[in-house]
Amino acid sequence: MSETDDWNTQIINEFRANEGKVGGPFEGAPMVLLHHTGRKSGKQNVTPLMFMPDDDDAALMYIFASKAGAPTHPAWYHNLTASGSARVEVGTETFDVAVNEVVGDNRDRIYAEQAKRYPGFAEYEAKTAGVRTIPVLALRRV
């Protein structure tokens, strides 16, 4: 098991034991467990992520393919854009979502708001400047 897998497993276990709440660097942040299928492997994966709820639409949330400012997109981003759907756990609920990438000015507005709320996202964006634009995905409950 890789160090990342071990880290994620700890967060997933804490999330499930505490009705969707975790501590440490994510204390107080809105968290989601993203269930997705590997587009090449077919393997079922669960990835813990921060999300931003839409202020006007309770059925909509945004996730950010920041990969902590790494030069490449995370694998889950490719899995979601290939499938167009996923399953998520939020709090004690589990439900299906449709996935759409947010682009242009709307992407920039949403990402800027997340960076304002959680400055680490501004740091990730600075790390990727000139390398890649961090994708924003909209997850709509179906």
Side-chain angles (χ1 to χ4, degrees), residues 6-140:
D6 188 47
W7 167 261
N8 283 348
T9 299
Q10 290 176 30
I11 295 169
I12 291 164
N13 291 341
E14 185 177 1
F15 180 101
R16 290 179 173 156
N18 296 294
E19 300 181 341
K21 294 180 176 73
V22 298
F26 304 112
E27 187 166 356
M31 297 292 294
V32 60
L33 297 184
L34 175 68
H35 296 249
H36 53 101
T37 304
R39 70 195 183 291
K40 294 177 183 175
S41 69
K43 179 184 169 199
Q44 297 298 309
N45 301 288
V46 179
T47 303
L49 299 168
M50 287 178 64
F51 75 94
M52 185 175 82
D54 186 271
D55 291 336
D56 300 317
D57 185 345
L60 184 61
M61 69 177 78
Y62 304 100
I63 57 174
F64 308 88
S66 65
K67 200 175 176 182
T72 59
H73 297 328
W76 62 257
Y77 163 80
H78 299 290
N79 295 340
L80 265 57
T81 56
S83 72
S85 64
R87 189 166 192 80
V88 296
E89 293 177 56
V90 179
T92 58
E93 282 190 281
T94 302
F95 51 91
D96 293 325
V97 293
V99 178
N100 290 291
E101 188 158 357
V102 181
V103 296
D105 291 343
N106 201 27
R107 177 258 171 230
D108 295 346
R109 177 187 59 78
I110 292 165
Y111 196 92
E113 180 59 30
Q114 180 71 351
K116 180 178 153 189
R117 294 178 187 188
Y118 297 95
F121 284 86
E123 293 172 20
Y124 303 152
E125 191 168 46
K127 286 182 181 179
T128 62
V131 178
R132 70 179 180 104
T133 299
I134 296 172
V136 175
L137 298 179
L139 307 182
R140 177 168 295 281

